[in-house]
Amino acid sequence: QTQGGRPSASTGWVGGGGWWVENSERRTYLNVRVKLSLFLLQLLHVYDLLTFDNPDGGAWKQGFEIRYQENEWDETPLELFLVPHSHNDPGWLKTFNSYYQDQTKHILNNMLIKLSEDHRRKMIWAEISYFSKWWNDIDEQKREMVKRLVGAGQLELVTGGWVMPDEANSHYFALLDQLMEGHQWLQKHLGVRPSSGWAVDPFGHSPSMTYLLKGAGLNNMVIQRVHYAVKKHFARQQTLEFLWRQSWDSSPRSDITCHMMPFYSYDVPHTCGPNPPITEQNVRERALLLLDQYRQKSRLFRSPVLLVPLGDDFRFTESSEWDAQFRNYQKLFDYFEQHPELHIKARFGTLSDYFEALHRRLNATGTTLPTLRGDFFTYADRDDHYWSGFFTSRPFYKRLDRALESTLRYGHEILFSLTLADMRRFRGDGRLVADFPGHEHFRRLTEARRNLALFQHHDAVTGTARDPVVVDYGTRWLLPVSTLVLQSSAHWLLLLDKSQYHHDQSKPFLQMDDVMSAQDALPQKTPLVLSDAPRSLIIFNPTEQLRTSVISVVIDSPDARVIEAETGRPMTAQISAVWAEPSRASADSFQVRTDQELIYFMSSFSLCLILPCVFSSSPSSLNFLLFLKTFYLFYFEIQKLRLQSGLVRQVQVQFLWYGTRSGVNRDKSGAYLFLPGEEGAQLYSSSEPPLIRVSRGPVFSDITSCFRHFTHTLRLLHLDGHAGRSLEISNMVDIRSEVNRELAMRLVSNVANGNRFYSDLNGFQMQQRRTLEKLPLQANFYPMTSASFLQDSSSRLSLLSAQSQAVASLRPGELVLDRRLQQDDNRGLGQGVTDNKLTASLYHLLLEDRRGGAQVTASVEHLSLLAHLTSLSLCHPPITMVAPSDSQLPKLRPFRPLRSSLPCDVHLLNLRTLEDAQEAESPSQEVALLLHRKGFDCSSAPEPMPQCTWSSARQQQPRITRLRPMEISAYRVEID
């Protein structure tokens, strides 16, 4: 507008329906609410916009000054929900049981009393692991009190997972499994299903978790640990509440309403408002002071409905704290109610209360929340303190976690479910055979599920718990994830004559090939003693497709041959040394490897026999060379990968050291943080030449380099088809002699990927990453659960991993292998990371052509079909069992429950026996069938083509379901 040709006022949009009007005297804020059009946020684009300069924001250090007008809420009062909570870590500074005895049970006991005293009091609880343990300790009268509180809406169970899981390192199998364990417990004991998620302490957030929550029936969620600069940007734009959508989904099917807490932490000082101090005044002064904080916080959101958490770690342990919080806040709420001129309605609430009011207000005003795609890694809570260290901390246990997931899925869940069904079919009356310990095995299985679920906690798989707590996690694993369920199930399924079945726990019919003697020891192969009688091997294929794999066992003689039991066909075998020391081969143990085509599906058993040779082999049949390399940096030499198409890419493998910052008063790397020294990465060097071992043979060829801190092996498998297309890389790392150092492996290639690369999120989906020079080195490391790749217009180089760790593309790609750090990084742990073990890591490196003018910088990408199959084989290696050596071995038969392979892009995630609704801790006749159809990149077609299909368009068979790409579906079924 103009007056006399001169501008009289200017206007500006402040977001969320607010405009400012400025004249020469003052700026006036008008609370104009308008309908906002839908818009899409890409977190990749947000990172491009942010400067990450971190200026001092005043009272709100990481934010900005917030202003408002007193009359903004005159027409629509502020509606406030104060949500009491107590965050209980299932292990961190204390073990799970110690926390429960010292704190958690007192919190829950007091909750029962204090909520019952006043119907206006409310609380939320997230960790079902603790809640179920407490439930087992209370009597029936108290259980009925709990049910009344839940039914009245005073107590809400949020998320419903066994734990509040880490979202960076955990695989989606484990994330889903712990969620199912918690939800099934809630359904059985309380008859409820959570509707809202609560993830206030995981160190960054993944859309994979939101997909699982939405699939489990949740519609809303709260998150907290997001980079402070991202929070500030979202607060300015009033986009702290949004619809979180999967990057690969163009529809709103996967959308979930997400509330991001705006401030530093989820504790009391950082939840009421941006200016923490609240002085002890009379009730009016305290009420007005809090009201000011609430009003300031509400200006960061698009609706006048405000969520204010009230709690912290292990709060409300003492009865006096319950009284102080509830009584004092109720006085403030009563004061607000007695003074309607303040235009605020405040009360205790739950997440359901808050989100119900939020959606009601948004619908009434026609306000639409923005849609967001992307993830919230890597997290920083202040300055340049990026939490990229925990992506790798305690890699021994990260590797063990994945191995035990595979054992639980196949050896316990799937085989057990198939065994129960087969027994019921055999008997014909729906019952199990009398000798089979079905109830005991189901209890073991339940314990194994829950202990694996416990390790997904955000201070467990992350490697951020104290040393005794880590030992407790490992010990819990070792006992219930025993092989008894697997051995008993395999025994039944393999027997040709079922009447010969007899269960003897002290003398299992089948023995495991790999044995783990302690929770901190690597699995070791048990040597087979050969005699005149052949030794029978039973090989399990845990995947749902036909595959060719190399099977390795240790024997006591270099003179052996392998035949296929069913046909008597001799099999190609390669005998190699077992190394007692880097330069000394064992005299009484030898490794025999054979390539075996494994029939589709998890429980197809291939049988082969190992017999002594009828002739004497010469020592050269071991077929290895041993020498010292005088050129110390042997493994730095440029190597070439060449495809049959003619595509050639150079690949260089290097090893690096990272140190940490120096200086007395400077923050240093610890369990959570990665704060490298100013010198950056330093190439690994050795004062002594490495010992080099070279093996060649019909099954594999490899080169092993032995250094002081690691043993590095490159192996090429001579297998037909797609199984032989990748290069196997393995490391055995030992940095226990080091002080404040981190060992990394770098892959240098001439793939022209620019500053972009892709890493996976939880093994479920791929996420584009950008290496940004405006960010410090540690900010450019991201979590890699199972895969990462670089690509240009003609090629893709994928690295598939058997364990989670940190990954970066700092020109070349880097992986952090292990970390040994002497100090705490001031995030509460109170110790460094010094309990390092001898740690194994395993990868497959895959080079592929890209065809058809494939995009280089697409924001949504998938692994290729070949990479999916390779990753599946890497994460689920064949399981080998050994039959007795005596001649009285009963006749065995392969067990093949499927007529054909599942399609290449369909993964049988689990076949999980459900608990009997009538008989506690007993298996029912129903199982949960979980199927995942994977999305894959079409620009790389595997050659030769695999023997599975990925399109059902030509198949005219009846179908019971249809899966979209990327979709996970769950079914309650009975196996006939």
Side-chain angles (χ1 to χ4, degrees):
Q1 297 178 356
T2 62
Q3 293 179 350
R6 294 182 299 172
S8 62
S10 59
T11 63
W13 173 250
V14 295
W19 292 80
W20 56 260
V21 181
E22 187 177 69
N23 56 26
S24 58
E25 295 182 357
R26 68 184 186 280
R27 176 177 291 184
T28 303
Y29 284 82
L30 305 178
N31 189 28
V32 181
R33 296 290 169 182
V34 297
K35 183 173 182 178
L36 296 172
S37 60
L38 179 68
F39 64 96
L40 181 66
L41 296 172
Q42 279 278 6
L43 276 168
L44 283 172
H45 300 155
V46 172
Y47 265 61
D48 288 338
L49 292 173
L50 297 180
T51 58
F52 297 95
D53 52 355
N54 193 24
D56 190 331
W60 177 15
K61 290 292 184 184
Q62 295 175 330
F64 47 86
E65 183 182 357
I66 305 173
R67 291 180 292 174
Y68 62 86
Q69 295 297 310
E70 294 285 343
N71 60 357
E72 286 190 35
W73 293 271
D74 286 358
E75 294 185 6
T76 306
L78 183 61
E79 190 173 4
L80 178 137
F81 293 91
L82 189 71
V83 180
H85 72 98
S86 181
H87 176 58
N88 282 235
D89 291 299
W92 181 37
L93 308 181
K94 302 178 184 179
T95 65
F96 175 80
N97 285 334
S98 295
Y99 268 138
Y100 177 77
Q101 293 296 334
D102 295 346
Q103 289 152 288
T104 304
K105 72 175 183 180
H106 303 297
I107 297 170
L108 291 171
N109 286 335
N110 284 324
M111 176 270 296
L112 203 56
I113 297 169
K114 298 304 178 181
L115 293 190
S116 299
E117 291 177 353
D118 190 335
H119 70 276
R120 296 172 296 181
R121 296 178 178 179
K122 299 195 175 186
M123 190 183 189
I124 62 171
W125 187 270
E127 296 85 6
I128 304 304
S129 52
Y130 276 130
F131 200 86
S132 64
K133 185 174 180 62
W134 174 69
W135 179 272
N136 292 336
D137 287 349
I138 61 176
D139 57 31
E140 196 58 39
Q141 181 181 5
K142 290 181 178 178
R143 291 179 179 180
E144 289 301 317
M145 293 174 64
V146 172
K147 293 177 182 179
R148 285 197 296 270
L149 292 173
V150 171
Q154 287 184 259
L155 173 63
E156 182 180 12
L157 284 303
V158 292
T159 306
W162 201 247
V163 296
M164 187 183 294
D166 171 54
E167 300 181 26
N169 297 284
S170 291
H171 194 273
Y172 77 103
F173 169 87
L175 289 174
L176 181 55
D177 207 56
Q178 66 85 30
L179 192 62
M180 290 182 64
E181 191 63 31
H183 279 217
Q184 287 186 286
W185 190 94
L186 287 173
Q187 184 64 43
K188 173 186 175 182
H189 295 282
L190 296 175
V192 298
R193 187 172 71 173
S195 62
S196 298
W198 178 256
V200 294
D201 205 22
F203 321 136
H205 299 281
S206 168
S208 303
M209 190 65 197
T210 70
Y211 177 80
L212 299 179
L213 293 179
K214 184 63 181 287
L218 282 72
N219 295 309
N220 311 290
M221 64 183 302
V222 175
I223 61 175
Q224 156 60 27
R225 290 195 184 270
V226 174
H227 194 298
Y228 61 87
V230 175
K231 284 192 174 191
K232 179 178 178 179
H233 175 79
F234 277 38
R236 282 195 182 278
Q237 302 297 319
Q238 290 188 316
T239 54
L240 289 165
E241 289 178 328
F242 51 86
L243 302 175
W244 200 345
R245 180 173 297 178
Q246 300 302 308
S247 297
W248 43 265
D249 196 349
S250 59
S251 75
R253 281 190 301 266
S254 62
D255 289 4
I256 189 168
T257 302
C258 183
H259 172 101
M260 181 193 299
M261 292 186 182
F263 305 128
Y264 178 83
S265 179
Y266 53 85
D267 58 5
V268 175
H270 297 98
T271 54
C272 67
N275 190 5
I278 298 176
T279 59
E280 289 292 334
Q281 306 289 337
N282 59 45
V283 66
R284 172 177 172 80
E285 289 169 327
R286 283 183 293 174
L288 294 179
L289 185 59
L290 268 179
L291 178 59
D292 172 63
Q293 294 292 295
Y294 294 154
R295 284 176 171 176
Q296 289 189 56
K297 184 175 183 179
S298 75
R299 291 298 298 137
L300 306 179
F301 297 89
R302 297 189 172 190
S303 86
V305 183
L306 187 62
L307 170 65
V308 177
L310 176 66
D312 197 354
D313 292 1
F314 296 96
R315 301 311 308 181
F316 303 105
T317 303
E318 303 295 333
S319 176
S320 58
E321 184 178 4
W322 286 86
D323 293 336
Q325 295 293 340
F326 279 102
R327 289 175 182 174
N328 287 323
Y329 267 108
Q330 192 59 55
K331 291 176 182 178
L332 294 168
F333 296 164
D334 292 342
Y335 182 86
F336 290 147
E337 187 175 9
Q338 294 161 10
H339 293 80
E341 71 277 7
L342 297 178
H343 302 290
I344 179 173
K345 180 181 180 182
R347 58 192 180 277
F348 295 110
T350 62
L351 292 191
S352 290
D353 294 333
Y354 169 73
F355 282 111
E356 182 181 342
L358 172 66
H359 289 300
R360 185 172 59 247
R361 176 54 53 187
L362 294 175
N363 292 334
T365 59
T367 304
T368 305
L369 296 178
T371 302
L372 177 138
R373 286 174 170 164
D375 70 323
F376 292 101
F377 295 111
T378 293
Y379 169 60
D381 57 351
R382 63 176 183 262
D383 304 321
D384 61 352
H385 292 191
Y386 284 82
W387 294 43
S388 48
F390 82 90
F391 299 156
T392 301
S393 293
R394 291 186 168 116
F396 177 90
Y397 292 97
K398 287 177 167 62
R399 178 78 179 93
L400 183 60
D401 169 59
R402 297 286 290 281
L404 293 179
E405 281 176 29
S406 180
T407 302
L408 174 65
R409 169 189 169 266
Y410 174 63
H412 293 66
E413 299 282 15
I414 296 175
L415 280 188
F416 183 67
S417 297
L418 292 173
T419 299
L420 298 187
D422 195 62
M423 281 186 178
R424 294 183 180 113
R425 179 203 57 78
F426 174 77
R427 284 184 54 99
D429 58 1
R431 301 171 62 186
L432 305 181
V433 296
D435 202 22
F436 184 76
H439 293 73
E440 291 82 355
H441 280 350
F442 188 72
R443 283 194 286 271
R444 291 189 182 99
L445 176 55
T446 300
E447 187 179 4
R449 290 170 178 170
R450 293 178 175 180
N451 285 326
L452 186 66
L454 196 70
F455 193 69
Q456 306 316 307
H457 163 54
H458 57 263
D459 279 309
V461 69
T462 54
T464 56
R466 285 190 174 169
D467 293 349
V469 180
V470 174
V471 173
D472 181 64
Y473 287 133
T475 304
R476 287 172 174 272
W477 268 346
L478 194 61
L479 298 177
V481 189
S482 65
T483 57
L484 291 176
V485 179
L486 168 58
Q487 290 165 319
S488 297
S489 300
H491 184 183
W492 171 265
L493 293 173
L494 281 172
L495 276 178
L496 181 63
D497 182 1
K498 304 297 185 187
S499 64
Q500 294 185 1
Y501 178 82
H502 171 66
H503 175 77
D504 184 352
Q505 182 172 323
S506 63
K507 188 180 179 182
F509 173 67
L510 298 172
Q511 299 288 343
M512 299 300 298
D513 176 49
D514 280 341
V515 176
M516 188 173 171
S517 60
Q519 59 87 26
D520 58 352
L522 291 170
Q524 299 293 323
K525 288 189 174 295
T526 304
L528 298 183
V529 178
L530 299 184
S531 61
D532 292 340
R535 298 299 304 268
S536 296
L537 298 182
I538 296 91
I539 302 154
F540 299 70
N541 176 10
T543 66
E544 49 280 302
Q545 282 92 28
L546 184 74
R547 65 191 276 194
T548 303
S549 297
V550 172
I551 308 301
S552 175
V553 293
V554 174
I555 56 178
D556 66 342
S557 169
D559 302 329
R561 57 194 175 98
V562 183
I563 64 171
E564 191 177 60
E566 287 186 272
T567 64
R569 177 179 62 88
M571 301 175 65
T572 303
Q574 180 173 338
I575 309 294
S576 56
V578 172
W579 295 94
E581 296 176 3
S583 60
R584 183 174 67 84
S586 172
D588 52 13
S589 294
F590 307 86
Q591 240 176 3
V592 57
R593 290 182 173 91
T594 181
D595 57 329
Q596 173 75 28
E597 186 175 72
L598 301 177
I599 303 299
Y600 38 78
F601 198 49
M602 288 60 60
S603 39
S604 298
F605 300 94
S606 294
L607 295 104
C608 58
L609 305 177
I610 299 182
L611 302 91
C613 289
V614 295
F615 56 88
S616 177
S617 297
S618 64
S620 61
S621 66
L622 292 181
N623 203 13
F624 66 85
L625 302 174
L626 177 67
F627 58 92
L628 291 177
K629 185 74 172 179
T630 56
F631 177 51
Y632 297 177
L633 301 184
F634 155 77
Y635 49 89
F636 294 152
E637 295 175 356
I638 293 290
Q639 307 295 315
K640 292 181 179 179
L641 295 180
R642 183 189 302 273
L643 298 182
Q644 290 183 346
S645 64
L647 177 70
V648 177
R649 286 291 179 266
Q650 295 177 331
V651 178
Q652 183 182 21
V653 182
Q654 301 175 349
F655 288 84
L656 317 166
W657 285 119
Y658 279 103
T660 190
R661 293 177 177 176
S662 58
V664 177
N665 296 319
R666 300 192 66 191
D667 291 299
K668 296 178 174 63
S669 295
Y672 301 93
L673 303 183
F674 178 34
L675 297 174
E678 290 78 1
E679 70 279 4
Q682 302 295 305
L683 284 175
Y684 184 93
S685 63
S686 175
S687 59
E688 298 179 356
L691 182 96
I692 307 297
R693 300 196 300 256
V694 180
S695 298
R696 298 189 185 98
V699 179
F700 72 92
S701 298
D702 66 20
I703 301 175
T704 298
S705 307
C706 302
F707 286 83
R708 177 186 172 191
H709 299 98
F710 60 90
T711 300
H712 174 65
T713 300
L714 297 175
R715 177 170 293 147
L716 188 62
L717 304 178
H718 305 312
L719 302 178
D720 295 331
H722 67 274
R725 282 282 308 276
S726 58
L727 179 68
E728 182 181 292
I729 302 174
S730 60
N731 300 309
M732 192 67 70
V733 175
D734 187 354
I735 62 169
R736 287 175 287 188
S737 62
E738 297 306 297
V739 175
N740 275 335
R741 298 183 93 178
E742 307 187 34
L743 184 67
M745 182 176 74
R746 173 184 287 174
L747 296 175
V748 184
S749 77
N750 59 349
V751 176
N753 63 300
N755 73 333
R756 289 172 168 83
F757 74 106
Y758 296 80
S759 64
D760 73 316
L761 290 166
N762 315 104
F764 179 66
Q765 58 186 314
M766 302 303 297
Q767 175 65 48
Q768 186 190 129
R769 307 296 186 189
R770 296 177 186 173
T771 303
L772 300 177
E773 292 187 2
K774 64 183 175 182
L775 293 176
L777 181 147
Q778 62 269 22
N780 285 298
F781 279 83
Y782 293 94
M784 182 186 79
T785 311
S786 62
S788 182
F789 64 78
L790 311 172
Q791 66 183 18
D792 54 27
S793 60
S794 61
S795 63
R796 175 183 287 185
L797 188 65
S798 301
L799 186 70
L800 309 167
S801 174
Q803 60 284 316
S804 60
Q805 60 204 113
V807 64
S809 181
L810 307 173
R811 296 186 182 90
E814 290 184 17
L815 302 162
V816 182
L817 300 178
D818 202 355
R819 326 175 66 228
R820 185 172 178 84
L821 303 159
Q822 265 58 36
Q823 63 282 314
D824 181 41
D825 50 11
N826 300 313
R827 292 307 184 274
L829 182 60
Q831 66 161 70
V833 182
T834 57
D835 58 343
N836 304 75
K837 322 289 183 203
L838 182 64
T839 299
S841 58
L842 180 64
Y843 314 89
H844 277 211
L845 186 66
L846 177 65
L847 176 65
E848 298 175 278
D849 290 296
R850 301 189 76 219
R851 301 164 187 167
Q855 295 184 48
V856 179
T857 60
S859 60
V860 180
E861 287 281 5
H862 302 285
L863 290 177
S864 68
L865 193 60
L866 178 55
H868 274 308
L869 294 174
T870 306
S871 180
L872 192 66
S873 298
L874 186 62
C875 293
H876 300 287
I879 298 175
T880 304
M881 301 183 76
V882 184
S885 57
D886 59 73
S887 59
Q888 302 302 315
L889 181 69
K891 287 188 177 182
L892 305 180
R893 55 134 194 179
F895 177 70
R896 297 168 183 160
L898 282 185
R899 294 188 180 93
S900 64
S901 285
L902 293 183
C904 293
D905 54 341
V906 174
H907 175 46
L908 194 147
L909 191 58
N910 209 345
L911 194 66
R912 176 188 172 111
T913 297
L914 300 177
E915 185 176 9
D916 194 299
Q918 308 302 322
E919 188 176 357
E921 298 183 342
S922 298
S924 73
Q925 297 192 23
E926 292 185 322
V927 298
L929 169 66
L930 291 100
L931 296 175
H932 176 206
R933 185 179 178 190
K934 300 188 175 186
F936 62 90
D937 176 57
C938 299
S939 66
S940 299
E943 293 181 1
M945 303 300 287
Q947 298 185 39
C948 51
T949 66
W950 58 88
S951 172
S952 59
R954 294 188 295 269
Q955 298 177 5
Q956 302 300 321
Q957 301 173 358
R959 71 165 181 246
I960 60 171
T961 187
R962 181 172 182 169
L963 285 174
R964 300 181 184 90
M966 294 299 296
E967 187 173 77
I968 298 175
S969 289
Y971 311 90
R972 184 185 292 266
V973 301
E974 287 188 27
I975 303 177
D976 189 349

